[in-house]
Amino acid sequence: MFRLRSLKKGTSFYIALVLVLIGVTGCGSNKQTGSGETELTVLLDWYPNAVHTFLYAAEEQGFFEEAGLKVNLQTPAGTNDALKLVATGKADLALSYQMQVAISRSEGIPIVSVGAIVRHPLNQLMVLDSGEIQSPKDLVGKKIGYPSIPLDEAIVDTMVKSDGGDPAKLNYVDVGWDLIPAMTTKKVDAIIGGYINHEKLLLEKEGEKLIAFDPSRYGVPDYYELVLTASEDGLKSNSDAIKKFMEAAAKGQEYTASHPDEALQILLDKQDEQFPLDAEIERKSLDILLPLMDAGMEPFGSQSEKSWSSIIAWLKEQGQIKQDVNAEQAFRHL
């Protein structure tokens, strides 16, 4: 989670992202194009990759246009920037993280989730498959690399405690976003903060054998990794357009699930020059993502009060939020 902190790979790219933010600042809700379409600015959570395939498929297949929408997909400089831009009406929608939405609401930021996109954790505890670590409790006395995010520590602490180990005996190593080299050089025995559809695949491509432990199997409530957010005011003034966006996005996801190769090629054809994609990695990533994005018998993006209540309670227990957050107000059914 909080992936955008790892986007800043150089000064020139940072400047480019700042320019994107400046461009986004002029975008508000309820804009009408000359053809009568409603214009929406949608901020991604990270640079365009496999998880966004459904959006690019919806755009390419004309589902947004059929819904009377002109959708501008943009990349912000950071996740916090995206939520703040949406909260202040400078953008209409943003992909973000369920935990971050709950934390933001506890800080008085009027953000609401309007759809669960990835329904289960991607940020998983990864260890080298050396035979020494069979479950999280075996990490006691080992080195765990992480990107200096307290929430990641809380996840691992919970997992180890749930597995019968003592979290107080864990050894965390701040490796920043150098998670992959930290593992390949054996600087650490495990990492948290990496995703099973990205870092794990890249490490495996380099020949590493890994085991990934799902937090939801070790004491952390199963949570929505990725959600689509809007502001409370935006929902009041623009709910019809946002509902149409979700319906068109659902069609994009349906197309992606039934035509994965064609849908992914749409993304690859539009990839960001600053972050060229590895087609092999993105195909494997999409294979991992599709079942985790599937809502089963429920509509795409559906959410439950139970999910929000459980993750809010866990965040409060871990000291990640200080103020009470009403689960029913943190999300909306469209």
Side-chain angles (χ1 to χ4, degrees), residues 39-267:
E39 188 170 0
L40 295 177
T41 296
V42 181
L43 305 180
L44 306 181
D45 60 302
W46 208 30
Y47 65 83
N49 65 89
V51 77
H52 308 122
T53 303
F54 73 106
L55 293 174
Y56 288 93
E59 180 181 60
E60 184 71 17
Q61 294 299 308
F63 300 142
F64 291 138
E65 185 178 2
E66 290 172 4
L69 303 174
K70 176 177 172 53
V71 176
N72 302 312
L73 301 173
Q74 299 190 18
T75 305
T79 304
N80 290 333
D81 295 317
L83 289 181
K84 289 173 183 176
L85 286 168
V86 170
T88 55
K90 303 294 173 43
D92 301 289
L93 297 165
L95 287 170
S96 189
Y97 311 90
Q98 184 180 26
M99 289 191 189
Q100 190 170 0
V101 170
I103 292 170
S104 296
R105 288 191 65 83
S106 76
E107 297 171 349
I109 300 174
I111 288 293
V112 179
S113 173
V114 296
I117 306 303
V118 179
R119 311 185 65 80
H120 306 283
L122 295 174
N123 179 20
Q124 298 191 12
L125 178 62
M126 301 177 208
V127 304
L128 295 171
D129 187 8
S130 63
E132 292 184 46
I133 303 170
Q134 299 295 323
S135 68
K137 68 175 181 294
D138 296 331
L139 283 169
V140 170
K142 304 293 185 181
K143 295 180 180 179
I144 305 166
Y146 80 123
S148 192
I149 296 177
L151 191 51
D152 283 331
E153 289 185 80
I155 289 173
V156 178
D157 285 355
T158 298
M159 294 175 71
V160 170
K161 183 177 180 180
S162 172
D163 195 36
D166 183 358
K169 296 180 180 179
L170 297 175
N171 181 15
Y172 288 99
V173 179
D174 182 0
V175 298
W177 286 106
D178 292 329
L179 295 167
I180 291 176
M183 286 288 268
T184 56
T185 61
K186 309 301 186 289
K187 180 178 180 179
V188 297
D189 304 289
I191 56 171
I192 188 69
Y195 279 21
I196 56 172
N197 67 311
H198 186 69
E199 279 83 0
K200 184 173 184 287
L201 296 178
L202 291 173
L203 280 163
E204 288 174 342
K205 188 171 183 177
E206 292 191 27
E208 298 293 346
K209 293 184 178 181
L210 303 173
I211 299 175
F213 298 114
D214 185 342
S216 67
R217 296 178 181 270
Y218 294 94
V220 180
D222 194 12
Y223 62 89
Y224 306 138
E225 187 70 65
L226 201 64
V227 296
L228 183 70
T229 65
S231 69
E232 291 182 353
D233 287 344
L235 274 174
K236 292 176 183 177
S237 63
N238 215 14
S239 61
D240 185 55
I242 293 173
K243 182 177 180 180
K244 289 179 178 178
F245 175 87
M246 278 300 299
E247 290 171 348
K251 291 180 180 179
Q253 179 65 8
E254 183 179 357
Y255 176 84
T256 299
S258 58
H259 302 83
D261 292 337
E262 294 88 340
L264 185 61
Q265 191 59 50
I266 294 171
L267 172 74

Side-chain angles (χ1 to χ4, degrees), residues 114-117 119 246 293 295 298-303 332-333:
V114 296
I117 306 303
R119 311 185 65 80
M246 278 300 299
M293 298 172 78
E298 296 293 322
F300 175 69
S302 62
Q303 305 174 81
R332 297 286 189 280
H333 291 299

Side-chain angles (χ1 to χ4, degrees), residues 262-275:
E262 294 88 340
L264 185 61
Q265 191 59 50
I266 294 171
L267 172 74
L268 294 173
D269 290 342
K270 296 186 177 183
Q271 62 187 285
D272 191 322
E273 292 181 0
Q274 296 285 347
F275 287 91

